[in-house]
Amino acid sequence: MNNIKTGLLLMIGAAFFGMIFTAVLYGFFPQYLCYAVYDVSEGGFYQREELELAPGTWVTEYFVPQNKYLTGVSIGVVREENQNVLVGRLSDSGGEILEERRFALTEVDYEFPFQRWVKPGEQYRLDILFPEENQSSVTIIAGEENMGAVEHISSYIGELPLENALGISYVYGTYSRKLLVFWFLVFFLGGLMAGETILHALSRKTCRKTE
């Protein structure tokens, strides 16, 4: 009877352990749940404009996300073979910097991989910085204000409002339920093994005292 009770307690403890650590993984380390891209929101410009930005300048995009998990933000940049670097800084409505990412124009994807939980319906700010150490100007793509992504609110170059919308794509992701179950089982078995090890060590200690 005691063995049955002990087994039940071990199972309950392991299940609790698995749920707690899976929740921590879900909330703070979602990248380990292999988020899959399921939605890309972008503008549909009929005519596009190219804006040349010198080193040391920046552009700002105010936007409202449409989904909970922002995998990344991709920007339209004219591809050039140089070492120029772009820095993306994501801030919330209160001005707190949430993430900062960068990419070089020598890379394949011109995307800031933010991998961040956001709140749909709330305003966020994206600052795209062109560091002074860049070798030359950077050419970005813009288009009609009313043809920008649905997330778009307004754009600025420095402190000056931009008449057109920036060519920005918002990439959202979703977690894999299979991987969520997998990690729960991993933590469950880990908790079960840890519990058995602790009970075995306590049992041996009790036996030694009895002897």
Side-chain angles (χ1 to χ4, degrees):
M1 192 67 179
N2 287 334
N3 289 336
I4 295 176
K5 287 183 178 180
T6 301
L8 284 173
L9 286 173
L10 275 174
M11 296 286 284
I12 293 171
F16 182 75
F17 182 87
M19 286 189 293
I20 291 296
F21 277 84
T22 303
V24 169
L25 189 72
Y26 179 86
F28 297 97
F29 306 100
Q31 63 270 26
Y32 295 111
L33 295 175
C34 291
Y35 275 74
V37 173
Y38 76 96
D39 188 19
V40 178
S41 178
E42 58 187 350
F45 302 138
Y46 292 117
Q47 293 182 341
R48 71 179 200 176
E49 179 182 349
E50 294 184 354
L51 303 175
E52 188 173 310
L53 299 172
T57 59
W58 75 94
V59 295
T60 300
E61 169 79 3
Y62 290 95
F63 69 98
V64 175
Q66 302 298 301
N67 288 291
K68 294 181 180 180
Y69 192 75
L70 185 63
T71 300
V73 176
S74 177
I75 65 172
V77 180
V78 176
R79 189 173 295 275
E80 298 177 6
E81 293 297 327
N82 55 48
Q83 298 298 320
N84 284 341
V85 173
L86 277 67
V87 179
R89 187 176 294 158
L90 180 67
S91 306
D92 61 17
S93 57
E96 179 183 355
I97 297 175
L98 303 177
E99 293 289 342
E100 183 173 301
R101 295 288 185 266
R102 63 173 56 210
F103 63 77
L105 297 190
T106 53
E107 297 179 13
V108 176
D109 297 322
Y110 291 172
E111 179 180 314
F112 301 115
F114 289 128
Q115 304 286 342
R116 184 80 188 192
W117 290 107
V118 292
K119 296 179 180 179
E122 290 194 7
Q123 180 175 289
Y124 288 81
R125 171 175 173 162
L126 171 65
D127 289 303
I128 304 172
L129 315 173
F130 305 88
E132 292 185 358
E133 60 266 23
N134 277 348
Q135 300 172 346
S136 59
S137 61
V138 176
T139 304
I140 63 173
I141 297 170
E144 300 91 338
E145 175 77 15
N146 61 344
M147 298 300 293
V150 65
E151 289 83 353
H152 169 75
I153 297 177
S154 59
S155 302
Y156 292 80
I157 295 182
E159 303 295 335
L160 300 176
L162 182 64
E163 293 182 359
N164 294 334
L166 296 177
I168 293 180
S169 299
Y170 299 89
V171 185
Y172 302 101
T174 183
Y175 64 87
S176 167
R177 289 180 175 84
K178 291 180 180 179
L179 278 169
L180 198 63
V181 172
F182 167 77
W183 281 110
F184 171 77
L185 291 175
V186 168
F187 291 129
F188 175 80
L189 293 174
L192 198 62
M193 293 173 63
E196 288 181 342
T197 302
I198 292 170
L199 286 177
H200 182 67
L202 291 174
S203 177
R204 289 182 61 183
K205 189 175 182 180
T206 304
C207 288
R208 287 175 181 173
K209 285 184 178 180
T210 303
E211 291 175 358

